[in-house]
Amino acid sequence: MESDSELIESINKGDSDAFERLYYRYRDWVYRLAWRFTGNRADALDVLQETFTYLLGKFPGFELTAAMTTFLYPVVRHISVRIRSKSRRIKSEEQILDEPAAPESGENEHYRTELAAVLTVLPDQQREVLLMRFVDDMSL
């Protein structure tokens, strides 16, 4: 499997298939993040499209100086904030955690419910930091 750096190098040389591979590698992550920010599937799809259109516009000549998720995160956030309406807020547990798999046990479901309740009352910035660290598995 090619690294992100290798894919970017290929894209810079004009390989459109490499961009497609990069897209498929990160599309689900971008979509989940956008859905969390917008609280709406249609808006999240718009964010997904605009994010990769923005990324494509960086080529040729794009240089990745950090992890791809580190580059994409503020792009997704900025586009999401611009797209979402002010009245939409993430309220449900499914939207906050966006974990399609069922929990392993009843005890995990209890913790998940408690966590979702806590996350809904946190200020946006604090919630975002926790989700970045523990849901998106981003490093400190």
Side-chain angles (χ1 to χ4, degrees):
M1 184 163 147
E2 296 169 290
S3 70
D4 291 346
S5 296
E6 291 169 334
L7 287 173
I8 288 168
E9 185 178 327
S10 296
I11 298 166
N12 278 323
K13 292 178 181 175
D15 183 357
S16 61
D17 290 336
F19 186 82
E20 183 178 348
R21 291 190 301 276
L22 191 68
Y23 168 80
Y24 282 113
R25 184 175 293 175
Y26 289 101
R27 73 174 178 179
D28 294 340
W29 183 86
V30 168
Y31 174 76
R32 284 191 308 271
L33 183 61
W35 189 12
R36 221 171 51 222
F37 284 132
T38 63
N40 178 287
R41 290 176 193 240
D43 289 346
L45 288 171
D46 288 345
V47 171
L48 174 68
Q49 180 177 350
E50 286 193 37
T51 298
F52 282 98
T53 300
Y54 173 81
L55 179 60
L56 184 60
K58 294 286 189 183
F59 293 97
F62 179 70
E63 292 182 32
L64 187 64
T65 59
M68 182 56 77
T69 53
T70 302
F71 172 79
L72 290 174
Y73 192 94
V75 175
V76 173
R77 185 177 191 281
H78 176 77
I79 294 170
S80 296
V81 168
R82 185 172 47 80
I83 286 180
R84 78 175 178 196
S85 71
K86 292 180 182 178
S87 64
R88 292 186 186 145
R89 295 240 342 139
I90 298 172
K91 296 200 188 255
S92 76
E93 162 188 338
E94 290 77 23
Q95 288 172 322
I96 290 173
L97 299 178
D98 191 39
E99 185 178 330
E104 295 174 15
S105 70
E107 184 176 313
N108 285 345
E109 180 64 27
H110 172 72
Y111 290 131
R112 181 181 157 107
T113 302
E114 281 186 34
L115 177 60
V118 169
L119 288 174
T120 59
V121 298
L122 284 176
D124 289 343
Q125 289 179 333
Q126 291 176 359
R127 180 177 54 241
E128 184 177 348
V129 168
L130 287 173
L131 292 172
M132 287 171 68
R133 176 66 181 111
F134 296 106
V135 175
D136 297 327
D137 198 31
M138 297 179 89
S139 68
L140 297 174

